[in-house]
Amino acid sequence: MAILWLTPLTALLLLAVTSTVNSCQPSELAALQAFRSSLREPHDGVFNSWTGTNCCHNWFGVSCDENTGRVADINLRAGSIYTTFEKAHTPGYMTGHISPEICKLTQLSSISITDWNGISGEIPSCITSLAFLRIIDLTGNQISGTLPSDIGKLRHLSRLSVADNVITGYIPRSLSNVTGLTHLDLRNNRISGSIPMNFGNLQNLGRALLSGNKLSGPIPGSISRIYRLSDLDLSRNQLNGPIPESLGRMSVLGTLKLDTNKLSGYISKSFLVSGISDLDFSHNMLEGNIPDAFGAKSYFTSLDFSYNNLKGPIPKSISNASYIGYMDLSHNHLCGPIPSGQVFDHLDASSFEYNDCLCGKPLKACKIH
């Protein structure tokens, strides 16, 4: 067996390469230090571990690529951090802002800075230069400003979560270029304007959560082309116009929440025999009859049509539904006897109150003429 002898120079070079891979590049160390200096913790916590010059070793929330030694992930989630540190007191807010110096970490794959409540400022616009970014999660802060208009540059982005902030402006049209996006969460901000008409280009989207904003205009019919979409929540906005019938023909859509908007028109029968199990159209301006189209495929954990302008009878076919866990038809103009059947046995009067002339169990008995 041959023995490999290393000259002192070769050994020194190997040691230099090894130490480079297992340490922090000076430029990235400086970027992390600048990032840290823009944030403040009122109590001892995560940044106590950010000591020394090797940010790839025991810096809480910082992960590096094993092969290159470049910073790959920043993961500062308040809940998990304070569970780790097992604080005996209630943690204070982390305040400050996200420094643009973070954009000097050019190999970043994920940025997760969530649930600190006090972090403010804007999303650094340079974040769209981070070509390898897959995850942006800034949920639960006080971040303001707008979403970067050129966010479409992030072709590898799979998750964008900025819920529970104070972000304004519009949904960037370029977002539709991020065709690998699987999770979009913009809930509870102050985003206005319309949903881009080419929103359906996001073919890999599984969840689209846009509730609690100031979105207006129609619901784009192109959404029905997103064949992997299982959860669509557009509730608590100012959307208007009809509900696209094509949404009821989506193959995997299981949750559709459109409540508390200004939607008008009629309820399509496609929604009653679809695979949607959580359907909420309440607090809109829908009119006409509830379609007499229920059948064995009608399976609802929750069905809510309350606070609309629906009229006519409750369709008899509703008794053919395989399951309805919760239903609310209150505050409409429905009239006539409530159909009998096991599907209604567990519902109380609140599901039917404040209509024009509904009668029968669980309301008052119908008058016999």
Side-chain angles (χ1 to χ4, degrees), residues 185-264:
D185 190 352
L186 309 180
R187 289 175 296 173
N188 303 324
N189 280 283
R190 299 173 185 175
I191 299 170
S192 58
S194 59
I195 302 172
M197 297 307 291
N198 59 352
F199 196 82
N201 291 350
L202 300 173
Q203 288 290 293
N204 291 293
L205 203 59
R207 304 189 78 197
L209 311 176
L210 281 64
S211 63
N213 281 286
K214 299 180 179 180
L215 296 171
S216 58
I219 299 173
S222 67
I223 291 177
S224 61
R225 300 201 308 264
I226 307 176
Y227 64 98
R228 293 183 177 179
L229 192 63
S230 63
D231 189 350
L232 178 62
D233 188 352
L234 305 179
S235 62
R236 295 181 294 113
N237 280 289
Q238 299 169 19
L239 299 170
N240 55 44
I243 301 172
E245 179 183 353
S246 55
L247 295 181
R249 296 194 297 269
M250 297 178 67
S251 57
V252 298
L253 189 64
T255 297
L256 178 58
K257 295 185 177 181
L258 304 179
D259 57 283
T260 320
N261 279 286
K262 299 178 180 179
L263 298 169
S264 57

Side-chain angles (χ1 to χ4, degrees), residues 61-119:
V62 177
S63 301
C64 297
D65 185 277
E66 293 181 357
N67 297 317
T68 65
R70 304 290 296 276
V71 177
D73 303 290
I74 294 178
N75 185 7
L76 302 177
R77 297 179 178 273
S80 60
I81 285 174
Y82 282 106
T83 299
T84 300
F85 285 109
E86 295 181 349
K87 287 189 171 295
H89 56 77
T90 302
Y93 295 148
M94 183 184 284
T95 58
H97 66 279
I98 300 172
S99 170
E101 292 293 307
I102 199 173
C103 300
K104 293 182 179 178
L105 304 172
T106 57
Q107 301 298 306
L108 270 181
S109 174
S110 69
I111 301 172
S112 298
I113 306 169
T114 65
D115 299 318
W116 293 102
N117 300 304
I119 294 178

Side-chain angles (χ1 to χ4, degrees), residues 127-147:
I127 204 171
T128 60
S129 67
L130 299 175
F132 300 100
L133 208 53
R134 295 183 301 104
I135 296 172
I136 299 174
D137 191 348
L138 305 176
T139 301
N141 292 292
Q142 288 293 319
I143 293 171
S144 59
T146 63
L147 295 171

Side-chain angles (χ1 to χ4, degrees), residues 347-364:
L347 299 176
D348 59 31
S350 64
S351 294
F352 306 99
E353 289 176 335
Y354 301 101
N355 277 284
D356 287 357
C357 48
L358 283 180
C359 60
K361 186 181 177 181
L363 298 180
K364 292 181 180 180

